[in-house]
Amino acid sequence: MINELKKAYIQYALKIFFTLLASTVIYSCSKGDDDPEEVNEQEVINRVSIVLSDGSTSQTVTWNEGSTPPAITLDVDKNYTASIYFYDASDPTDVEDITEEVIEEADEHFVLWEIAGLSDFLIASAANDVSGSDGIGINLVTDWSTGGAESGNIKVTLIHEPTTKSGTDRASFGGETDIELTFPTTVQ
């Protein structure tokens, strides 16, 4: 009888041991707070709008994926406020404003405006532009100043995770390009 009790006790102890072992393995495989944060993938951007206002009138220039960027026409010797908006219009019945995400992640984005062929033209971050934690505007809202009549191009690039927010061309900013468009521009 004592041998039977020993066998029963050993079987009982083994059941408890394996139950605890299985519980430990299952618990250690569960998702915990130590898991790394999810990585934000690049946004889908297939529509870009630029709203240009001179204080009394405004114009909106919109590019849609699959089309050529439209021309921008501005008046000589004028100041404009330009606001740029990024959209995911993959589903025309549910267009998503990606600009909101760019604002929420201001430290991870920068809009680079490059001017080519327009020698009397200036683009600068506006006073009401969105800034990152470093206090540098990310160029969602910019001030444009025109001079004399001329034609050229304005290239806009939304940069994801730039390595710097100062420079004169795309190569100096690092990071990844979310979208890049070149708008033919005429000042008349």
Side-chain angles (χ1 to χ4, degrees):
M1 168 131 174
I2 293 180
N3 281 341
E4 289 177 10
L5 284 173
K6 281 184 178 179
K7 280 185 181 179
Y9 178 75
I10 290 173
Q11 287 177 345
Y12 178 73
L14 286 173
K15 284 181 185 178
I16 290 176
F17 172 76
F18 285 114
T19 302
L20 290 173
L21 180 64
S23 297
T24 303
V25 169
I26 291 171
Y27 178 76
S28 67
C29 291
S30 68
K31 183 175 174 127
D33 292 336
D34 297 358
D35 292 341
E37 289 183 30
E38 292 182 26
V39 175
N40 282 341
E41 293 184 21
Q42 279 188 299
E43 300 84 6
V44 172
I45 299 172
N46 48 28
R47 179 180 294 163
V48 175
S49 290
I50 302 171
V51 179
L52 294 152
S53 174
D54 65 9
S56 59
T57 61
S58 68
Q59 65 173 305
T60 301
V61 178
T62 300
W63 166 84
N64 287 294
E65 186 174 48
S67 67
T68 302
I72 298 172
T73 303
L74 303 169
D75 293 330
V76 297
D77 297 321
K78 280 256 183 152
N79 294 316
Y80 295 87
T81 298
S83 300
I84 190 164
Y85 301 92
F86 303 99
Y87 301 97
D88 176 359
S90 300
D91 179 356
T93 62
D94 186 26
V95 177
E96 181 183 356
D97 186 354
I98 301 298
T99 314
E100 295 172 8
E101 189 173 328
V102 172
I103 291 169
E104 289 171 8
E105 298 174 357
D107 288 334
E108 300 171 19
H109 290 92
F110 187 78
V111 179
L112 173 64
W113 297 93
E114 294 179 274
I115 303 167
L118 298 163
S119 60
D120 199 11
F121 196 97
L122 178 66
I123 298 176
S125 181
N128 61 335
D129 189 18
V130 174
S131 296
S133 62
D134 56 7
I136 298 173
I138 64 170
N139 290 336
L140 284 175
V141 182
T142 51
D143 291 327
W144 295 16
S145 297
T146 65
E150 57 185 348
S151 294
N153 291 306
I154 296 176
K155 185 191 303 185
V156 60
T157 307
L158 177 60
I159 303 169
H160 187 83
E161 296 185 345
T163 55
T164 184
K165 289 186 179 176
S166 62
T168 56
D169 62 7
R170 175 63 187 94
S172 59
F173 285 84
E176 296 180 31
T177 298
D178 280 337
I179 190 159
E180 182 175 272
L181 298 167
T182 301
F183 292 88
T185 304
T186 301
V187 178
Q188 57 186 19

